[in-house]
Amino acid sequence: MKGNEQVVAEVFALYERFGDSDYIGEPVSQIEHMSQAAELAMAEGFDDEVVLAAFFHDIGHICSESAENMGGYGVVSHERLGADYLRRAGFSERMARLVEYHVQAKRYLTLKEPGYYERLSEASRRTLEYQGGVMTPAEAEAFEGDPLCAVSLRMRQWDELAKEMRVPVLDLDILKRKAFGLLSGVAC
């Protein structure tokens, strides 16, 4: 069985290896996008699980080399691939579900928030088709009943905001300590 330090090293090695890759049709790299999302969560005072979920929300794009591509806009089912990867690594179900739900939140907002679809980037609009399209009213009602709905919607807003150019990347040691603390059951 892997130790917590080894798990953290392996997870963050993905960002060292693939972090400088283009972020699927956006003006920032993968690591810049993830860092900005985590910083937005931290700025709002969210707990370490939410901060790390914000950082890891697109890990599915970089944790599976054999995944199907969404027409040049990342990996099909990246939300599930990422959530499953984090579960296998030993992270909490809450964190994994938040990673998985960031796509559900996009589908929900396209149904519920007037003008949301028009505000999406071209890449986000294109990937929506691969992600199940706009939610049905029945799907939306079920999503609203989930205890993670509200924070998932907030995470989606950070996802949309985390595309600013020339924003310094967060010190990853901060996130590594948070990840180690969560895996060890010790708050940072």
Side-chain angles (χ1 to χ4, degrees), residues 32-51:
E32 289 168 330
H33 177 63
M34 302 304 145
S35 171
Q36 289 176 37
E39 284 188 285
L40 289 164
M42 286 171 47
E44 292 185 27
F46 278 87
D47 63 72
D48 289 349
E49 277 185 325
V50 174
V51 169

Side-chain angles (χ1 to χ4, degrees), residues 34-97:
M34 302 304 145
S35 171
Q36 289 176 37
E39 284 188 285
L40 289 164
M42 286 171 47
E44 292 185 27
F46 278 87
D47 63 72
D48 289 349
E49 277 185 325
V50 174
V51 169
L52 285 169
F55 182 76
F56 292 143
H57 77 273
D58 277 341
I59 197 169
H61 286 302
I62 62 174
C63 71
S64 178
E65 294 182 28
S66 62
E68 183 185 349
N69 192 289
M70 290 187 287
Y73 289 98
V75 172
V76 172
S77 298
H78 76 282
E79 69 280 9
R80 277 192 294 281
L81 291 170
D84 289 344
Y85 175 81
L86 293 170
R87 286 181 185 105
R88 286 191 306 274
F91 288 101
S92 72
E93 182 62 20
R94 179 178 179 241
M95 184 192 299
R97 286 178 57 211

Side-chain angles (χ1 to χ4, degrees), residues 109-155:
L109 289 168
T110 55
L111 173 70
K112 292 288 191 167
E113 190 177 301
Y116 180 77
Y117 179 83
E118 290 73 25
R119 291 192 307 273
L120 288 174
S121 68
E122 179 65 22
S124 286
R125 278 188 229 145
R126 294 237 178 142
T127 58
L128 181 63
E129 297 169 32
Y130 289 94
Q131 296 164 337
V134 177
M135 267 191 180
T136 66
E139 288 173 322
E141 186 176 339
F143 188 58
E144 289 166 349
D146 191 293
L148 295 177
C149 178
V151 71
S152 297
L153 295 174
R154 193 71 200 120
M155 245 179 72

